[in-house]
Amino acid sequence: MAETVGSSDLDVVGALRALSNPMRLQLLSWLREPERHFSLEGAIADPVEVGVCVSHIHAKVGLAQSTVSAYMAELQRAGLVRATRVGKWTHYKRDEQRIAELVAVLGKTL
């Protein structure tokens, strides 16, 4: 008999899907230490407290703004980052609690 997939399992699948893209995985890694990985000149918010502005992420990766926004939206839907608006700009920060929960679930299920 096939096992049914619960909603928490679907969250894991969504997170793994978001992490399956090498650039999204790299972005999440860089956000772990934003002051080390991003040029934050002209930042209007604290990158550790609020997150890194999408314009700084865009400058780092050199991809189209729409592509960067789509990547960050996928990470946000997966619950791996949180978005905060500061003025007209969106800032992204890792959701460390959600990432820790994902690691714990993977440790128990794999």
Side-chain angles (χ1 to χ4, degrees), residues 53-97:
C53 180
V54 70
S55 66
H56 290 106
I57 297 170
H58 167 67
K60 169 95 174 170
V61 298
L63 298 172
Q65 178 95 21
S66 60
T67 302
V68 173
S69 293
Y71 283 168
M72 297 312 297
E74 182 69 23
L75 290 170
Q76 184 181 6
R77 279 191 298 276
L80 301 171
V81 298
R82 284 183 263 146
T84 303
R85 294 283 293 185
V86 179
K88 66 178 184 173
W89 301 104
T90 303
H91 291 68
Y92 292 96
K93 178 180 177 177
R94 287 167 49 109
D95 187 334
E96 297 298 343
Q97 180 178 345

Side-chain angles (χ1 to χ4, degrees), residues 24-35 37-38 40 47-48 51-53 57 72 75 80-82 91-96 99:
R24 288 192 297 257
L25 184 60
Q26 183 66 66
L27 288 168
L28 194 63
S29 176
W30 286 335
L31 287 172
R32 186 176 200 159
E33 297 177 281
E35 293 167 320
H37 294 287
F38 294 96
L40 300 171
V48 175
V52 177
C53 180
I57 297 170
M72 297 312 297
L75 290 170
L80 301 171
V81 298
R82 284 183 263 146
H91 291 68
Y92 292 96
K93 178 180 177 177
R94 287 167 49 109
D95 187 334
E96 297 298 343
I99 292 168

